[in-house]
Amino acid sequence: CDGEERGQYETILMPGVFGSVRRYQLNYTVEDPVLREIFNDIRFRKAMSLAIDRQEVNQTLFYGLGVPRQYTAPSVTTFFEDWMAEYYADYDVAEANRLLDEMGLHWDESRQYRLRPDGQPLKINLLDGTGSEADITEMVVGYWKDIGVIAEVRTVSRELLVQREIGRAH
């Protein structure tokens, strides 16, 4: 790289210790019974994954240096299998839309968003931290909008986000 030659340094990419830098988890026990049913349907989770253009995220935010994949075990672990990283990680908007249609999550009349079975707009709330991961979430919100899922993001401090994650584990 030009900068390395001029600055007399070498860039070394360290492998991550996690399977991915970002994940999105749905609350399968959400109080809203309609959302609970949607979130617990594997087709919804597959559709949401297929709607994310991991290649574009990699090019835009990681300068093409990342490895687009699912959030799963790191490939260096003994129990990792190749299919884990690739499971519904392709960018396939047509298949994502087909799955949502199959679930009965139809578009509103203006094709702006999808409707829940109770006729309400399909909207999910995301808690997100600040920093570079928020840039990924911003892109993901756009991808999900393209398949008719409204995602509203509430940014909280990293400490609060970790505290909530730990609290759910207990």
Side-chain angles (χ1 to χ4, degrees):
C1 156
D2 249 8
E4 289 177 319
E5 290 175 22
R6 284 193 314 258
Q8 298 181 351
Y9 65 87
E10 180 182 359
T11 303
I12 300 171
L13 299 177
M14 301 299 291
V17 295
F18 300 108
S20 178
V21 297
R22 198 72 189 110
R23 73 178 184 273
Y24 299 94
Q25 295 175 273
L26 299 170
N27 180 357
Y28 303 129
T29 61
V30 63
E31 288 184 24
D32 181 327
V34 177
L35 276 182
R36 188 178 326 125
E37 185 174 334
I38 291 169
F39 290 173
N40 278 280
D41 191 318
I42 188 74
R43 295 172 295 181
F44 184 74
R45 299 192 303 272
K46 288 177 179 179
M48 299 300 279
S49 184
L50 290 168
I52 299 172
D53 188 343
R54 291 167 175 83
Q55 293 290 348
E56 184 177 64
V57 170
N58 182 36
Q59 290 301 319
T60 303
L61 301 177
F62 299 100
Y63 309 104
L65 300 173
V67 178
R69 65 191 312 261
Q70 278 292 7
Y71 187 89
T72 186
S75 56
V76 296
T77 58
T78 57
F79 55 87
F80 175 81
E81 297 177 20
D82 288 341
W83 69 267
M84 295 173 174
E86 301 164 1
Y87 190 71
Y88 288 89
D90 293 331
Y91 179 55
D92 191 342
V93 173
E95 178 64 6
N97 277 310
R98 188 194 70 73
L99 288 166
L100 296 176
D101 289 342
E102 185 179 280
M103 288 178 65
L105 301 172
H106 304 294
W107 289 90
D108 70 314
E109 289 182 19
S110 62
R111 277 195 69 86
Q112 295 291 314
Y113 51 84
R114 289 186 178 269
L115 299 170
R116 301 166 14 146
D118 61 2
Q120 297 297 311
L122 177 54
K123 184 185 334 180
I124 61 175
N125 297 310
L126 297 174
L127 276 183
D128 200 11
T130 57
S132 62
E133 292 178 358
D135 293 338
I136 299 170
T137 298
E138 186 176 321
M139 292 181 76
V140 168
V141 166
Y143 298 136
W144 288 346
K145 182 179 180 189
D146 291 343
I147 61 167
V149 178
I150 302 165
E152 294 182 352
V153 182
R154 193 171 105 207
T155 305
V156 297
S157 72
R158 185 75 158 153
E159 294 77 18
L160 180 59
L161 196 60
V162 169
Q163 183 181 27
R164 288 194 173 182
E165 287 178 355
I166 291 170
R168 278 197 300 259
H170 294 164

